[in-house]
Amino acid sequence: MTRGSVIAGAVLLSQIGLNGQVAPTITWQNCYGGSADEVGHRLVRTSDHGFVVAGFTTSVDGDVSGQHGDHDTWAFKTDSTGALIWQRTVGGVSWDNAHGLAQALDGGFFLAGMMTPYPILYSQVSAVKLDGLGNVVWSVDLGGSSNETARDVAATSDGGCIVAGSAASNDGDVSGNHGLSDAWVVKLDNAGAMQWQRCFGGSGHDDGWAIINTTDGGYLLAGSTWSLDGDITVNLGSGDVWLVKIDVAGNIQWQKTLGGTWSESPRDLLATSDGGYLFAAETRSSDGDVLGQHGDQDMWIVKLDANGDIQWQNCLGGTGLDIPLDIDQLADGGFILTGNSRSTDGDVSGNHGIMDAWVARLSDQGTLLWQKAMGGTDFDGGDAVEVMSNGRSMIVGHTQSADGDVQNFIGVRDVWMIELGEEDLATGVPSGSDLPDPIAIPNPTNGLVHVTEQIGPLVHYSVFNLLGAVVRSGRLETPDRTIDLSALPPGPYLIDGTTGQGSFQVRVIKE
């Protein structure tokens, strides 16, 4: 066998999971930014099959214009092929950065992160509302005399949003702080006015990392805790994952502590199609709730039931540093994960350099089906992932490489978008290009909705609620393309469909 054949075989094997599935190939990728430093932290898919990315920029050239200071919040929109449609910089003369992004009910976008007002050295929470064209609708800064930051935001059914992060103050906009820092949750109305705020924690360091809506109108917060008093009833080690279920007014309904004797911290949280939850966290433990740890730091994926009890867990990674940053659910109930990996062993293979963007596909029971390391010879990472209805996935990350998988590198560090093609799974959805969105009649509806237009003879569909969870799925065959929503509660829904000819989306209001 020639050396070239050995290398080609090794590359192929590096993309094959435990069940023999081959990882999808990159269908397109592109870099965004200027001659300085950019990172994209979050990604949402829009109804016109485009994408909005939020993060930060330090450039004043290239794709970036309108910069305000040293370090601006940066949001931009692309079409389905990655072409830039609009971009917006938001901030002051000093440091601004968006860690959270959510699409509002009116088609706009909420950004949440931190800002450091010059010349003061403490940080505050920054929340921004953009319209669908990227124009600033409102912007608010929240905090006290110490450090506050936001790490996630979720749209709420009243047109406002809810922000999660941390607070070290106990004055100004912050009240009820328990210790060194608390997980801080702030509810804003559709004009950006604060409706309520809550501090959760004990006398140590506590933090909020992710927040989602729950079907009862409340919220689930995923944070980290180093306390064993105050709101925290159990501490398992140095730092634990802490889940806090709160009602619509921010009162605690239940809380759970998960982890081992070392440190755990969550990075993403989602509501699953079976009514439970799943979080992705980093872990250094190999005991307690944590099983199968590989090395330095692993990606810990934990599936929970509706009460927060563990149904299954899996540690992913190798002997190096592995950090999960975002996870999404597929129509078959499985999951796709992205993050950063320095490993070259264990679950990770095909690493290109110092650190790669890593993507992993899991079954609905957490089994690793395939994995893919992407990047060049320098530092690269995967920050967010979105599943598309045509069987493809979009990853937004960052890159410092100008080789390997990376093309069109611009500056010191770029936002890097990568589309992965359809996976070769027996349960995979059909491939194809995107179709024009059809019409749903009647809309609003009391129950039955009929999908019109030429969308192919066979349609596989999923209905998503406001939380992003699949509440109904099936297939439509001609001539009857009717979906029954009568058993669902009133509210907005998204019908996401695929055919052999492509994919489509249509929004429906259930009265």
Side-chain angles (χ1 to χ4, degrees):
M1 182 180 291
T2 66
R3 181 176 181 272
S5 298
V6 172
I7 293 173
V11 171
L12 177 61
L13 288 172
S14 74
Q15 309 301 334
I16 298 178
L18 297 176
N19 292 298
Q21 285 92 6
V22 178
T25 58
I26 296 174
T27 53
W28 65 261
Q29 63 87 48
N30 199 20
C31 293
Y32 303 86
S35 57
D37 191 24
E38 283 78 41
V39 170
H41 290 303
R42 286 294 172 187
L43 169 74
V44 297
R45 184 164 63 108
T46 57
S47 59
D48 60 359
H49 306 292
F51 301 93
V52 171
V53 177
F56 73 83
T57 180
T58 63
S59 294
V60 294
D61 55 7
D63 297 318
V64 185
S65 62
Q67 234 261 16
H68 300 81
D70 296 339
H71 198 286
D72 268 15
T73 288
W74 191 40
F76 64 87
K77 182 179 179 181
T78 74
D79 65 15
S80 61
T81 66
L84 192 65
I85 297 175
W86 56 255
Q87 66 88 40
R88 184 70 58 199
T89 54
V90 183
V93 296
S94 190
W95 187 287
D96 301 273
N97 189 358
H99 287 280
L101 170 67
Q103 186 159 23
L105 292 182
D106 62 4
F109 305 94
F110 295 111
L111 312 177
M114 60 173 286
M115 58 88 66
T116 304
Y118 181 83
I120 303 169
L121 297 181
Y122 60 79
S123 63
Q124 292 187 319
V125 164
S126 174
V128 179
K129 171 75 180 296
L130 303 180
D131 65 19
L133 299 176
N135 301 305
V136 176
V137 178
W138 52 256
S139 177
V140 296
D141 301 322
L142 305 165
S145 58
S146 191
N147 288 307
E148 280 75 53
T149 189
R151 292 192 173 89
D152 198 19
V153 61
T156 54
S157 59
D158 59 358
C161 65
I162 191 158
V163 177
S166 64
S169 301
N170 202 19
D171 56 8
D173 298 313
V174 186
S175 61
N177 191 300
H178 298 77
L180 298 176
S181 67
D182 271 13
W184 194 35
V185 175
V186 181
K187 176 67 177 70
L188 303 178
D189 66 17
N190 60 5
M194 187 167 70
Q195 295 176 294
W196 54 260
Q197 63 85 42
R198 296 286 185 276
C199 286
F200 302 105
S203 57
H205 283 288
D206 308 296
D207 205 349
W209 282 92
I211 194 162
I212 59 173
N213 295 278
T214 53
T215 54
D216 62 357
Y219 312 97
L220 184 64
L221 169 72
S224 56
T225 180
W226 293 71
S227 299
L228 186 51
D229 54 9
D231 295 320
I232 296 94
T233 57
V234 176
N235 186 291
L236 302 169
S238 298
D240 294 334
V241 171
W242 190 40
L243 299 174
V244 185
K245 175 66 177 70
I246 58 179
D247 64 20
V248 67
N251 303 303
I252 294 179
Q253 295 176 296
W254 55 258
Q255 54 98 15
K256 300 272 185 178
T257 307
L258 305 166
T261 55
W262 290 96
S263 61
E264 284 75 45
S265 184
R267 290 295 179 265
D268 195 30
L269 172 70
L270 57 84
T272 54
S273 56
D274 63 356
Y277 308 102
L278 182 137
F279 68 78
E282 55 186 58
T283 181
R284 294 183 182 272
S285 299
S286 57
D287 56 4
D289 297 316
V290 185
L291 304 174
Q293 220 262 13
H294 296 79
D296 183 1
Q297 179 172 287
D298 267 15
M299 304 182 183
W300 189 36
I301 314 303
V302 182
K303 175 67 175 67
L304 309 167
D305 63 19
N307 298 314
D309 296 320
I310 295 178
Q311 294 180 301
W312 55 259
Q313 64 91 50
N314 196 2
C315 284
L316 301 172
T319 54
L321 183 71
D322 305 294
I323 303 171
L325 290 172
D326 198 26
I327 193 163
D328 199 8
Q329 188 167 27
L330 294 95
D332 68 356
F335 304 93
I336 188 163
L337 166 76
T338 193
N340 308 333
S341 178
R342 287 176 175 260
S343 295
T344 57
D345 54 8
D347 297 318
V348 184
S349 57
N351 191 294
H352 298 75
I354 300 172
M355 183 172 72
D356 266 16
W358 194 58
V359 180
R361 168 70 150 95
L362 306 179
S363 72
D364 60 352
Q365 296 300 310
T367 302
L368 179 63
L369 300 180
W370 54 256
Q371 64 87 39
K372 190 178 186 73
M374 301 182 295
T377 53
D378 213 314
F379 286 92
D380 311 291
D383 294 88
V385 60
E386 280 276 338
V387 174
M388 295 184 286
S389 57
N390 59 4
R392 301 181 181 187
S393 300
M394 180 61 64
I395 292 92
V396 66
H398 58 274
T399 181
Q400 291 180 229
S401 299
D403 54 9
D405 294 320
V406 184
Q407 299 175 14
N408 307 317
F409 183 72
I410 303 170
V412 175
R413 187 167 50 166
D414 288 351
V415 175
W416 189 30
M417 290 183 71
I418 313 108
E419 184 189 78
L420 294 182
E422 307 88 53
E423 58 182 2
D424 186 18
L425 297 177
T427 56
V429 295
S431 62
S433 59
D434 287 339
L435 294 169
D437 288 335
I439 299 172
I441 300 175
N443 191 8
T445 178
N446 290 320
L448 298 180
V449 61
H450 182 71
V451 181
T452 68
E453 303 296 334
Q454 297 301 313
I455 54 176
L458 176 64
V459 177
H460 297 265
Y461 74 90
S462 296
V463 180
F464 294 84
N465 64 14
L466 181 64
L467 311 181
V470 177
V471 293
R472 185 174 296 279
S473 61
R475 68 181 193 177
L476 302 175
E477 298 187 42
T478 53
D480 183 17
R481 295 198 187 99
T482 300
I483 300 174
D484 187 0
L485 306 180
S486 57
L488 301 179
Y493 293 91
L494 178 69
I495 300 173
D496 204 50
T498 60
T499 78
Q501 302 172 14
S503 61
F504 67 86
Q505 289 184 330
V506 60
R507 297 182 182 276
V508 178
I509 300 296
K510 166 69 188 312
E511 292 182 329

